[in-house]
Amino acid sequence: MATIHVDGQSYEVDGADNLLQACLSLGLDIPYFCWHPAMGSVGACRQCAVRQYKDRDDDRGMLVMSCMTPATDGTRIDIEDEEARAFRASVVEWLMINHPHDCPVCEEGGHCHLQDMTVMTGHDRRRYRFRKRTRRNQYLGPFIAHEMNRCITCYRCVRFYNDYAGGTDLGAFGAKDNIYFGRHQEGTLESRFAGNLTEVCPTGVFTDQSHSEHYTRKWDLQFAPSICHQCAMGCNISPGERYGDIRRIENRYHGEVNGFFLCDLGRFGYGYVNRADRPRMPEFLPGPGKDREPLETDAALARIADALRHAERVIGIGSPRASLESNHQLRELVGAANFSTGIHAREQDCLALMQELGRSCGLPAPTLREVEEHDAVLLLGEDPMESAARLGLAIRQAITTPPSEQAARVGIPYWNAEALKTLAQDHHQPLFIAYPTATELDGIARDRLPLAPEDIARLGYAVAHAIDSSAPAVADLEPSLQARAETIADSLVAAEKPLVVSGGTLAHPAIIRAAGNIARALARRASRGGLMFVRREANSTGLSLLGGQPLEWALEQLGSGHADAAVILENDLYQRLPAARVDTALDSARTLVVLDHQRTPTLERATFSLPAASFAEGDGTLVSLEGRAQRFFQVFEPGYLRPEARIHESWRWLHGLAVKVHGYAPADITLDQVTAACSQACPGLEMITAAAPDAGFRIEGLRLAREPHRYSGRTSMRANRSVSEPRVPQDPDTAFAYSMEGYSGYRHPHQQVPFAWAPGWNSPQAWNKFTDEVGGHLRGGDPGIRLAGPVPGHYDYDRDIPAAGQPTGERHRAVVLPRLFGGEETSALAGPIQQRMDHPALVLSEADATALGAELGGLVTVSGEHTCVTLPVRVQSDWPRGLVGLPAGSVPWGVDGDVTLTAGPGSTPGARCEVRP
């Protein structure tokens, strides 16, 4: 710690920080542009000038840039010094010389860092009377709009895009006053994190293109704290709503999870919420070939309850994209013995294994913040850039960050970004990747091993044995692979904090068991490091804790006549298993009830359908892959602007059904009640009630405001329906109010912050006001609660080592490869994501493609039991022979392992073959 003196006051600060960060952490305002908490200091904009004095006797001092000056003990500065203020005002003035006068039409207006800093410095007059410099804008893809005339040359964009996120197609061109930030030619930005430019850029150069189509100022959006549903990372988001549509998603700061950044899937994948073809009323299908008939709520519940009461047996099929509360209510409706998770068997086995190994291997699952602190990483059978992109970004930081002890040795502070970059040069911490296809992290990896799933597992077992000789050895391992396993083991042992990342992407339990062996070996040797398992969907971890039978069991019960009715919760079964298998089961059901917020093929088969709330219209709890239970909250009431809609949370629909089916006394249900019931029913979930404050939480007697205090136009939003303004919706489920009347400040610490705003801070940089220190943790505590960790004890090694993969010639092994854009079923319905998708193609080795005559591309048919799909071929030179990679989203996740390949379009008896050229 250090004592610094600011404007005559003494403060205790972290002596390792620079003066700008120290002052901002104290709540003292200093304007800045080029500095960013996640990217350090470069001293490019000169905006953060303060006067520094040598000692208490120095009455002259000198101007210094606070972002480049350490907060050493005894430092004396004046922020309010007249010369410093004048200098800061002059800096803004020259930065604004060529900036257009377009705040009223600029999409950054109202949450613009440049506006905030211009006001903060007191610059309010334009003296430049000459022609302004103008630029030609570029098309940068469906996510990002470009307006170079607004650039102030802070370099934040290229520092984030190139240095932090590892992008290569955005650059700074020119020199002095003639610098252009863009691509060498027009085209879509390739990075999976390009959307962060909208928040990193302090002006309106890079704006949200998806927001442009239905633009609304920030102060006219209604927000709520939410959790991204597009993967299992559990990133915190702030969705903004207007007129019953989600208009944009911004990052919601979380000190342990996503920090300041989101992946593009989480930022732009919300479009399915706004689709016009969504189910908004309960519906009844009279029979095959008939049109669906809308029903009112009471009639729908009465008819469904009557049908379920007369059924011989009702099966409930849950979903890993639905909340814990909804899955629990479904289990209560049908009984635990009749509940299926809705996950296919191989994936469910992998989830159970990951859950068990997370407790029994001795290494904890790190948070994303902790991932960045690891100094050696092994990716075993996983490509996080496709399956959990925000994890991939954290791994990149762990690998590319220079060793702190090396920087300290030469006196470079952690915040001096350019000095650290120069020190690091091309140095990378050890990263090893065992995965069949190329990944975005290959460029910084020390070694990548393109292996079949069985061989990836064998490599993992060999690494564990090399770390600890008491672990089982792998017989007949190729000498070259054995040598590489020993190299990996040496790097993991030499590291201070090694990290093993695996998961269920390749649906091979042996890979997961091998990762567990490596973790056990590391834990026995030094009890340090981390073990992280990647799950596929938002609530895969939570549903595995809740328990239930796999999807195949549910379909078998229906198809064999042991059950004649099913209730399916937010789950498209055709995304999980081959269509023929699903059709056989659903054809056997007399009553099929489907709750969903999208018109999926499964919903189209339903006898009765109920319109479920999406994440934006409902409340619930999810458990992320690190085991953190987090609450998402309703952003808007769907019936307020669309009175004809009958959309409700699935758990609320299911409660209504349970009341009628079981004859319970009619009673309202709240989120707190259903969350408590879920926690009491499942031992692994007893702590979920602590994931967020209950509905009674208040700050100075006030609810939390969903709307900024400048929210306008509410009285006219329904004027086309009625000139009488209805009462705003009342929310008995949460501590939030559907209005600007409520607490929206930062002085009282609280976890669930819907949007970041503080006086003078309208941009995303306002999060600095809510944290205990800049870049630290929320002062009210980071949202969510970790449910479990490793259990201390001694655990035996797994010894079930698979045989080496052997190509068989005619038969191939199919694996489904995740895709960030297009591999997740709900975000694939969003327009911007659809534009960003690559054309699906199957991956083959050069030898296998040549044998089919498809070495130059062409169509190949993949056929298996109940499976048939035709896709173009993409040849990869180092892809394992005998393996075929199928893109997620083009085939169900539970396709059969063994398949046959045929050149050109083909068909298989009993299977529906789909051609996707």
Side-chain angles (χ1 to χ4, degrees):
M1 299 297 289
T3 300
I4 64 172
H5 309 277
V6 183
D7 293 330
Q9 300 293 319
S10 299
Y11 301 94
E12 290 288 325
V13 299
D14 186 344
D17 292 342
N18 58 49
L19 284 174
L20 174 61
Q21 183 163 350
C23 289
L24 291 174
S25 296
L26 292 169
L28 306 174
D29 291 344
I30 299 178
Y32 62 90
F33 285 120
C34 65
W35 177 81
H36 189 281
M39 296 183 288
S41 305
V42 291
C45 71
R46 326 304 290 169
Q47 181 63 77
C48 63
V50 297
R51 181 173 292 279
Q52 182 180 16
Y53 302 94
K54 294 179 181 177
D55 51 44
R56 69 172 59 194
D57 297 324
D58 181 7
D59 59 358
R60 299 189 61 178
M62 63 178 181
L63 292 183
V64 298
M65 300 307 115
S66 58
C67 75
M68 298 298 293
T69 306
T72 54
D73 192 49
T75 298
R76 296 176 178 273
I77 62 171
D78 274 356
I79 298 174
E80 299 302 324
D81 175 77
E82 287 189 14
E83 186 179 359
R85 290 170 61 119
F87 182 86
R88 295 196 296 262
S90 69
V91 170
V92 166
E93 185 171 18
W94 82 56
L95 291 175
M96 295 292 287
I97 280 177
N98 287 297
H99 196 87
H101 301 185
D102 67 344
C103 290
V105 298
C106 176
E107 293 188 16
E108 197 74 2
H111 62 162
C112 174
H113 187 59
L114 176 60
Q115 284 180 334
D116 291 345
M117 299 300 100
T118 302
V119 173
M120 189 178 294
T121 55
H123 171 61
D124 59 0
R125 294 290 183 274
R126 304 281 186 145
R127 295 188 293 168
Y128 185 73
R129 297 180 291 106
F130 306 99
R131 184 175 181 177
K132 290 181 181 289
R133 179 192 63 212
T134 57
R135 301 291 196 188
R136 179 181 178 275
N137 303 321
Q138 290 183 323
Y139 171 76
L140 298 178
F143 296 161
I144 303 296
H146 190 229
E147 176 51 82
M148 257 305 295
N149 292 324
R150 299 171 183 150
C151 182
I152 61 170
T153 324
C154 71
Y155 286 88
R156 268 200 204 172
C157 57
V158 291
R159 289 177 58 216
F160 167 77
Y161 194 91
N162 298 336
D163 299 342
Y164 194 93
T168 57
D169 61 320
L170 182 74
F173 304 92
K176 201 181 176 183
D177 292 332
N178 191 34
I179 296 180
Y180 188 91
F181 295 93
R183 302 182 85 247
H184 71 287
Q185 63 181 18
E186 283 194 343
T188 300
L189 288 171
E190 297 171 1
S191 173
R192 292 162 167 79
F193 309 97
N196 293 292
L197 293 175
T198 64
E199 295 183 26
V200 166
C201 176
T203 73
V205 176
F206 300 100
T207 54
D208 186 334
Q209 181 90 312
S210 68
H211 186 207
S212 303
E213 300 171 4
H214 45 201
Y215 181 75
T216 303
R217 292 295 189 195
K218 178 179 180 177
W219 60 76
D220 280 335
L221 291 173
Q222 181 168 265
F223 299 90
S226 194
I227 306 299
C228 180
H229 279 54
Q230 265 55 76
C231 80
M233 278 312 311
C235 294
N236 285 216
I237 58 174
S238 288
E241 172 268 347
R242 183 75 166 177
Y243 291 107
D245 287 338
I246 295 296
R247 299 300 177 94
R248 71 179 301 170
I249 284 179
E250 293 183 295
N251 181 72
R252 181 163 64 99
Y253 184 84
H254 191 295
E256 291 288 2
V257 185
N258 45 291
F260 292 96
F261 305 122
L262 297 173
C263 76
D264 287 353
L265 181 66
R267 189 180 293 274
F268 301 110
Y270 63 85
Y272 63 93
V273 176
N274 302 336
R275 288 181 65 96
D277 62 351
R278 281 187 56 187
R280 302 189 189 276
M281 290 284 291
E283 293 175 347
F284 169 63
L285 182 63
K290 303 289 185 64
D291 291 334
R292 307 187 72 82
E293 300 175 359
L295 297 172
E296 277 299 330
T297 300
D298 290 340
L301 289 176
R303 293 180 66 172
I304 295 172
D306 184 64
L308 295 181
R309 277 196 302 268
H310 287 86
E312 294 182 7
R313 187 184 178 201
V314 182
I315 295 294
I317 300 178
S319 170
R321 63 176 168 90
S323 68
L324 283 174
E325 289 83 354
S326 295
N327 279 287
H328 168 72
Q329 286 296 107
L330 176 58
R331 192 173 75 162
E332 291 295 293
L333 174 66
V334 301
N338 298 319
F339 177 72
S340 165
T341 59
I343 302 172
H344 69 82
R346 284 210 311 276
E347 183 178 357
Q348 182 153 321
D349 290 344
C350 289
L351 288 171
L353 189 56
M354 287 186 269
Q355 197 66 38
E356 175 195 343
L357 293 178
R359 291 191 299 264
S360 65
C361 287
L363 294 184
T367 66
L368 280 186
R369 188 188 192 97
E370 293 167 343
V371 167
E372 296 182 0
E373 299 169 358
H374 286 265
D375 55 351
V377 181
L378 169 61
L379 297 179
L380 198 68
E382 199 66 46
D383 178 7
M385 282 296 190
E386 298 290 352
S387 57
R390 190 58 186 81
L391 171 60
L393 184 62
I395 291 173
R396 177 179 170 78
Q397 305 320 305
I399 299 306
T400 58
T401 300
S404 55
E405 66 276 5
Q406 183 181 355
R409 219 169 24 245
V410 295
I412 298 176
Y414 76 93
W415 43 261
N416 195 330
E418 285 303 306
L420 287 176
K421 184 178 175 181
T422 302
L423 174 68
Q425 296 293 328
D426 293 327
H427 167 80
H428 293 145
Q429 308 281 35
L431 168 65
F432 301 94
I433 304 173
Y435 195 68
T437 192
T439 79
E440 191 175 298
L441 293 172
D442 289 356
I444 59 173
R446 190 163 294 183
D447 192 9
R448 183 177 79 84
L449 297 88
L451 303 172
E454 295 84 359
D455 296 322
I456 292 174
R458 288 167 62 82
L459 172 74
Y461 282 104
V463 170
H465 178 72
I467 296 172
D468 181 0
S469 59
S470 64
V474 181
D476 303 325
L477 191 66
E478 293 181 10
S480 61
L481 201 57
Q482 180 65 45
R484 293 164 89 175
E486 291 173 0
T487 300
I488 295 170
D490 291 343
S491 296
L492 295 179
V493 169
E496 288 294 321
K497 293 184 68 176
L499 174 64
V500 180
V501 178
S502 189
T505 287
L506 300 178
H508 204 293
I511 295 176
I512 299 169
R513 296 197 304 269
N517 266 20
I518 299 173
R520 290 188 183 102
L522 290 172
R524 287 186 178 190
R525 190 176 185 106
S527 297
R528 54 186 167 78
L531 173 65
M532 180 168 274
F533 288 117
V534 177
R535 282 81 162 177
R536 189 164 64 85
E537 293 177 86
N539 211 13
S540 294
T541 308
L543 197 53
S544 66
L545 288 169
L546 188 64
Q549 298 290 336
L551 177 58
E552 287 89 340
W553 170 87
L555 298 186
E556 192 277 331
Q557 296 298 306
L558 292 169
S560 63
H562 291 101
D564 58 346
V567 181
I568 302 175
L569 169 66
E570 299 179 37
N571 200 337
D572 184 9
L573 308 188
Y574 293 93
Q575 293 282 334
R576 302 187 183 276
L577 289 173
R581 191 168 187 180
V582 176
D583 285 340
T584 300
L586 299 189
D587 288 343
S588 304
R590 288 194 301 171
T591 301
L592 188 62
V593 182
V594 177
L595 300 88
D596 212 330
H597 48 76
Q598 302 299 319
R599 289 197 180 276
T600 66
T602 301
L603 184 137
E604 294 300 330
R605 296 291 310 273
T607 315
F608 297 96
S609 63
L610 296 173
S614 67
F615 75 91
E617 300 147 335
D619 312 297
T621 306
L622 304 176
V623 183
S624 70
L625 60 82
E626 58 159 308
R628 183 185 299 271
Q630 299 183 100
R631 193 78 36 81
F632 62 92
F633 296 95
Q634 191 176 46
V635 184
F636 65 98
E637 168 55 54
Y640 182 70
L641 288 166
R642 296 187 176 94
E644 73 282 0
R646 301 294 183 267
I647 296 173
H648 300 290
E649 296 99 330
S650 292
W651 52 263
R652 207 178 295 275
W653 280 119
L654 292 165
H655 168 73
L657 279 178
V659 167
K660 290 187 174 293
V661 170
H662 300 303
Y664 301 149
D668 291 336
I669 190 170
T670 65
L671 176 67
D672 288 342
Q673 290 173 331
V674 71
T675 303
C678 180
S679 71
Q680 293 164 9
C682 179
L685 299 173
E686 64 268 15
M687 296 173 65
I688 63 171
T689 53
D694 61 23
F697 179 78
R698 299 290 185 273
I699 294 180
E700 295 186 335
L702 298 174
R703 286 179 173 268
L704 303 178
R706 281 182 168 93
E707 299 169 0
H709 73 283
R710 294 178 294 173
Y711 190 94
S712 63
R714 191 172 66 205
T715 56
S716 63
M717 291 176 71
R718 289 172 49 104
N720 62 324
R721 299 176 181 272
S722 172
V723 294
S724 300
E725 181 188 1
R727 184 188 186 194
V728 296
Q730 304 302 295
D731 189 356
D733 295 311
T734 75
F736 294 92
Y738 287 106
S739 70
M740 67 187 84
E741 291 79 27
Y743 186 79
S744 60
Y746 67 93
R747 298 194 182 278
H748 293 274
H750 57 292
Q751 286 186 341
Q752 302 298 339
V753 183
F755 54 89
W757 174 88
W761 295 84
N762 296 277
S763 77
Q765 297 297 300
W767 283 112
N768 295 340
K769 293 291 186 180
F770 291 84
T771 52
D772 54 4
E773 60 177 342
V774 175
H777 303 271
L778 294 182
R779 286 190 289 122
D782 291 322
I785 185 168
R786 296 289 290 269
L787 296 183
V791 179
H794 179 82
Y795 305 99
D796 294 329
Y797 285 110
D798 183 272
R799 300 183 180 276
D800 187 12
I801 302 175
Q806 296 292 334
T808 59
E810 293 185 1
R811 300 293 291 180
H812 288 71
R813 168 77 182 277
V815 294
V816 180
L817 300 177
R819 291 193 298 164
L820 188 68
F821 302 125
E824 194 277 325
E825 61 177 291
T826 54
S827 61
L829 300 173
I833 298 295
Q834 290 173 344
Q835 296 178 55
R836 191 66 172 80
M837 294 179 193
D838 293 327
H839 293 294
L842 59 88
V843 188
L844 285 178
S845 69
E846 194 168 356
D848 288 339
T850 301
L852 290 165
E855 63 272 19
L856 299 179
L859 297 176
V860 166
T861 297
V862 181
S863 304
E865 186 179 3
H866 306 302
T867 302
C868 187
V869 63
T870 299
L871 289 166
V873 169
R874 177 167 63 86
V875 178
Q876 181 176 310
S877 60
D878 58 358
W879 179 266
R881 287 198 61 185
L883 200 66
V884 53
L886 299 171
S890 297
V891 294
W893 284 95
V895 295
D896 301 307
D898 291 332
V899 294
T900 301
L901 305 184
T902 308
S907 62
T908 296
R912 181 191 307 162
C913 195
E914 187 171 358
V915 180
R916 296 174 178 259

